């Protein structure tokens, strides 16, 4: 999570949707549910929702991370020995570089005690299993550009976009207008390439700086 000179985080990792994973340890089932969250209230509501769904389980332990700098974290052992559930779950989320993410691990007791080390491995392992099935992406700090050009340059522009893996929004009227969003650090290079490709005829307008999702 590199920080730019303007104080913005250049990029951070997020969940793109819910994820679910399950492991079994000595007949105990550990079911992990992951969800993107953007506030403490969202996280609390999600945790309560899972507790109601798995109302008959022995434990519903939880952890969540909020903020692009992972600045707010919370975790709960929900009756398991202190430090054996919520903390290992949180460490997995932090270690994977995830932001704005919550995890609940539901345990159905199998009749055999796992011990401190066994619980730590099981709760952390359940989160890893869910993450392996979840779709994640990179939230990048970028700039939205509008590029207007004549029709003689459209082919060159499409080639340039294709080379960079950019999928533009295109409008065709009296002129061709492309709207693209790219990481801030790549903007100047793109502007130079567009200017060169169109012999300086393209009109470049910086619309806004925004965060956008780049799928992994």
């Amino acid at each position: 999570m590199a920080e730019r000179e303007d104080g913005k985080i250049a990029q951070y990792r997020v969940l793109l949707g819910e994820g679910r994973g399950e492991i079994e340890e000595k007949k105990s089932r550990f079911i992990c549910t992951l969800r993107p969250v953007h506030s403490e209230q969202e996280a609390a509501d999600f945790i309560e929702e899972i507790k109601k769904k798995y109302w008959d389980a022995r434990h519903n332990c939880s952890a969540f991370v909020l903020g692009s700098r992972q600045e707010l974290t919370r975790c709960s052992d929900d009756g398991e020995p202190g430090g054996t559930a919520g903390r290992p779950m949180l460490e997995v989320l932090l270690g994977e570089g995830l932001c704005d993410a919550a995890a609940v691990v539901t345990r159905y007791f199998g009749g055999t005690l796992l011990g401190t080390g066994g619980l730590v491995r099981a709760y952390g392992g359940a989160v890893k299993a869910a993450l392996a099935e979840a779709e994640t992406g990179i939230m990048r700090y970028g700039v939205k550009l509008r590029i207007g050009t004549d029709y003689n340059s459209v082919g060159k522009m499409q080639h340039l976009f294709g080379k960079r893996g950019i999928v533009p929004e295109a409008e065709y009227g009296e002129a061709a207008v492309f709207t693209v969003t790219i990481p801030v650090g790549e903007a100047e290079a793109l502007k130079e390439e567009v200017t060169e490709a169109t012999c300086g005829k393209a009109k470049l307008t910086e619309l806004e700086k925004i965060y956008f999702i780049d799928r992994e």
Side-chain angles (χ1 to χ4, degrees), residues 111-162:
T112 302
L113 296 176
L114 300 183
T116 300
L119 288 172
V120 168
R121 287 190 298 273
Y123 279 99
V127 178
K128 290 178 181 177
L131 280 172
E133 300 299 323
E135 188 177 7
T136 61
I138 301 298
M139 191 72 79
R140 301 188 190 279
Y141 188 55
V143 58
K144 182 178 285 189
L145 299 173
R146 176 177 289 145
I147 305 167
T149 186
D150 58 41
Y151 282 93
N152 292 329
S153 300
V154 168
K156 294 178 181 178
M157 295 299 300
Q158 291 174 335
H159 175 72
L160 191 158
F161 294 145

Side-chain angles (χ1 to χ4, degrees), residues 20-146:
R20 186 179 182 279
E22 180 176 340
I23 64 172
E24 185 174 313
E25 290 289 338
K26 295 182 179 178
K27 297 185 180 181
S28 279
R29 293 174 62 203
F30 294 84
I31 306 164
C32 178
T33 309
L34 298 169
R35 182 180 294 175
V37 292
H38 301 93
S39 68
E40 286 190 80
Q41 188 60 55
E42 272 191 49
D45 290 345
F46 166 58
I47 293 165
E48 189 60 30
E49 176 188 325
I50 299 301
K51 284 184 175 182
K52 288 180 179 178
K53 179 179 179 180
Y54 297 108
W55 59 271
D56 57 341
R58 171 87 51 108
H59 305 282
N60 283 286
C61 304
S62 59
F64 63 85
V65 182
L66 293 173
S68 59
R69 295 175 175 81
Q70 298 180 319
E71 51 262 49
L72 179 62
T73 63
R74 297 284 188 274
C75 61
S76 168
D77 295 313
D78 193 37
E80 293 282 30
T84 62
R87 174 54 60 177
M89 293 166 60
L90 180 60
E91 291 299 333
V92 173
L93 296 179
L94 293 172
E96 291 291 328
L98 281 168
C99 303
D100 293 335
V104 178
V105 174
T106 302
R107 182 188 184 187
Y108 284 97
F109 185 56
T112 302
L113 296 176
L114 300 183
T116 300
L119 288 172
V120 168
R121 287 190 298 273
Y123 279 99
V127 178
K128 290 178 181 177
L131 280 172
E133 300 299 323
E135 188 177 7
T136 61
I138 301 298
M139 191 72 79
R140 301 188 190 279
Y141 188 55
V143 58
K144 182 178 285 189
L145 299 173
R146 176 177 289 145

